[in-house]
Amino acid sequence: MAKMLQSFSPESDGWQFMWIILAVFIIGLGISIERIIYIMVKSSKGRAKFLADFGKLISSQQFDQALSLANATNLPVARVMSAIVANRAGGREGMQAACDAVFLTEAPRLTRYISLVSVMASISTLLGLMGTIYGLIYTFDAVANKPASERAKALSDGIAIAMGTTLEGLLSAVPLLVIVGFLNMNSERLIQEMEEKGLKIINSLV
């Protein structure tokens, strides 16, 4: 991508598309990094150990210790477990209502901003297409209006603009779309786990 940008000097037609696509890619990559840290680190690290320890405490009916463990663990699934145990005196309906309230807060936090990464990928593709169209217009204009001595260079410049912007748009969009798929897969897995574990804990406490 850097080599392509170097081939377009600020005086060249079409360089604007290249830099805009790069800026869009950087924005999408920045959002992606934040989401990967939140989903894969802040919402996942230590999850298996917490669930194992929490399950043992619930099985041995050490509810106060289980509640303390959940409150001390900064994980979405821990906040769901904490709400359920804290409201166990309210029966199934009370625990389910508490679980749903926390779930409605935590689930959107896991999926937040992922759609923006997809939008950045789409914008990159469209900007690449826009650059392609611009390059074709530049090429056809050269054929119609340029002197014969300048026509060959103008044609090559127009084709370079068309192909270069298309390639950069794809180089930006494809990785972002792969990241979107990865983030969606892991956020959905965490959401399903919260639902599943929450229901199991409610059933065990009824």
Side-chain angles (χ1 to χ4, degrees), residues 87-98 199 202-206:
N87 290 273
R88 65 186 184 279
R92 176 180 288 276
E93 290 185 1
M95 289 187 289
Q96 188 64 58
L199 181 59
I202 290 173
N203 290 335
S204 68
L205 293 176
V206 173

Side-chain angles (χ1 to χ4, degrees), residues 64-84:
D64 290 339
Q65 292 89 331
L67 184 59
S68 297
L69 175 63
N71 288 333
T73 305
N74 190 26
L75 293 169
V77 68
R79 288 188 276 273
V80 172
M81 299 297 113
S82 174
I84 292 171

Side-chain angles (χ1 to χ4, degrees), residues 156-183:
S156 64
D157 288 345
I159 293 171
I161 293 170
M163 296 299 100
T165 52
T166 300
L167 179 60
E168 190 184 16
L170 293 174
L171 287 174
S172 172
V174 171
L176 292 179
L177 288 175
V178 171
I179 293 171
V180 168
F182 175 78
L183 292 174

Side-chain angles (χ1 to χ4, degrees), residues 21 123-133 162 165-166 168-170:
I21 293 171
I123 290 174
S124 295
T125 304
L126 293 174
L127 285 171
L129 178 60
M130 192 182 300
T132 302
I133 294 171
T165 52
T166 300
E168 190 184 16
L170 293 174

Side-chain angles (χ1 to χ4, degrees), residues 1-15 18-19 157 160-161 164-165 168:
M1 203 177 278
K3 288 183 178 179
M4 284 191 296
L5 284 169
Q6 289 171 3
S7 67
F8 285 85
S9 66
E11 293 79 17
S12 301
D13 289 318
W15 68 272
M18 308 291 279
W19 287 109
D157 288 345
I161 293 170
T165 52
E168 190 184 16

Side-chain angles (χ1 to χ4, degrees), residues 147-158:
S149 59
E150 300 178 11
R151 196 169 296 161
K153 184 180 184 304
L155 286 172
S156 64
D157 288 345

Side-chain angles (χ1 to χ4, degrees), residues 19-41:
W19 287 109
I20 294 171
I21 293 171
L22 179 61
V24 170
F25 174 72
I26 291 173
I27 293 170
L29 187 62
I31 298 171
S32 300
I33 292 171
E34 186 276 334
R35 286 291 82 195
I36 289 171
I37 292 172
Y38 184 81
I39 294 172
M40 303 305 300
V41 179

